[in-house]
């Protein structure tokens, strides 16, 4: 829709958008335990197309993909070709990457300097996984939070307390993650 000199094109998970994502879920390997990526559907102008991205985890990442797909649509690129290219996306190192480990365990590396929103989204993803195994979270300092440092670390610990069976923290600021985790466990 044209608004002045700008074109407004809405993307998201609700029906009010021009480009709509739905049925977002984690894909699993044949063992139904090991996560392999994210899948969702895109609806645009009456067409519904599947999207599958190996190695990308968390529904929070779908919002960024929707924006990228929306730009392609606005540039009159073919939606099927956009989805084919998007499906090749690999997240950068330290951004919720799956690392296969020993004895059937797996580790998600989200070690890049995080923000409260990104760390919470990662914990939400861990919480959404089946509870067939123990969930161990290793969390560290989040930098550049200024006067919000203590409360944001404590809030992250509380969130982890609802999702993780065991918490390991690294860094001076992370003591508040421990505090929040312990308070949630009480």
């Amino acid at each position: 829709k044209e608004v002045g000199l700008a074109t407004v094109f809405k993307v998201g998970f609700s029906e009010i958008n021009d480009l709509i994502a739905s049925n977002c879920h984690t894909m699993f390997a044949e063992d139904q335990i090991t996560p392999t990526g994210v899948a969702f559907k895109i609806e645009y102008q009456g067409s519904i197309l599947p999207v599958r991205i190996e190695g990308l985890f968390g529904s929070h990442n779908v919002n960024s993909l929707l924006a990228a797909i929306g730009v392609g649509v606005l540039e009159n690129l073919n939606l099927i070709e956009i989805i084919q290219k998007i499906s090749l996306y690999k997240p950068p190192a330290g951004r919720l990457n799956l690392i296969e480990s020993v004895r059937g365990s797996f580790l998600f590396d989200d070690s890049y300097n995080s923000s409260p929103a990104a760390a919470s989204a990662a914990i939400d993803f861990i919480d959404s996984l089946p509870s067939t195994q123990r969930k161990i979270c290793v969390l560290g300092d989040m930098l550049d939070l200024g006067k919000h440092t203590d409360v944001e670390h404590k809030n992250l610990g509380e969130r982890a307390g609802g999702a993780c069976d065991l918490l390991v923290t690294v860094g001076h600021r992370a003591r508040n993650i421990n505090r929040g985790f312990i308070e949630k466990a009480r």
Side-chain angles (χ1 to χ4, degrees):
K1 298 175 184 105
E2 300 253 348
V3 178
L5 297 176
T7 299
V8 176
F9 187 83
K10 298 178 284 185
V11 301
F13 287 89
S14 70
E15 297 293 324
I16 66 165
N17 295 295
D18 300 302
L19 182 69
I20 303 165
S22 64
N23 298 348
C24 183
H25 62 278
T26 301
M27 298 183 298
F28 290 90
E30 288 182 23
D31 64 10
Q32 296 300 310
I33 295 171
T34 306
T36 60
V38 68
F40 57 98
K41 291 183 180 177
I42 289 287
E43 181 179 345
Y44 180 65
Q45 293 184 339
S47 295
I48 299 175
L49 299 167
V51 181
R52 298 171 55 90
I53 304 174
E54 300 286 334
L56 183 71
F57 300 97
S59 60
H60 62 286
N61 284 310
V62 173
N63 289 315
S64 299
L65 296 173
L66 286 174
I69 294 168
V71 169
V73 166
L74 288 173
E75 290 296 315
N76 296 314
L77 300 176
N78 180 288
L79 183 57
I80 293 171
E81 291 177 10
I82 295 169
I83 290 171
Q84 288 171 342
K85 295 295 184 187
I86 288 283
S87 70
L88 301 174
Y89 175 76
K90 299 292 180 218
R95 296 291 192 185
L96 209 54
N97 303 112
L98 177 64
I99 299 171
E100 293 186 35
S101 192
V102 297
R103 292 183 277 174
S105 63
F106 43 88
L107 169 75
F108 286 94
D109 173 13
D110 198 43
S111 59
Y112 187 85
N113 181 27
S114 196
S115 68
S120 292
I123 289 173
D124 288 346
F125 168 70
I126 297 299
D127 193 32
S128 76
L129 294 173
S131 296
T132 57
Q133 298 175 341
R134 276 192 334 162
K135 297 177 182 180
I136 302 170
C137 294
V138 180
L139 301 172
D141 289 348
M142 294 181 288
L143 307 178
D144 307 317
L145 299 179
K147 67 181 182 180
H148 304 288
T149 296
D150 290 345
V151 71
E152 290 296 347
H153 282 83
K154 184 173 181 267
N155 289 344
L156 184 61
E158 290 173 359
R159 188 173 219 109
C164 306
D165 301 308
L166 176 66
L167 175 69
V168 177
T169 59
V170 179
H172 178 70
R173 294 167 190 86
R175 73 183 181 282
N176 286 309
I177 298 174
N178 290 333
R179 288 184 184 137
F181 187 84
I182 290 167
E183 286 180 20
K184 179 71 175 186
R186 288 184 186 163

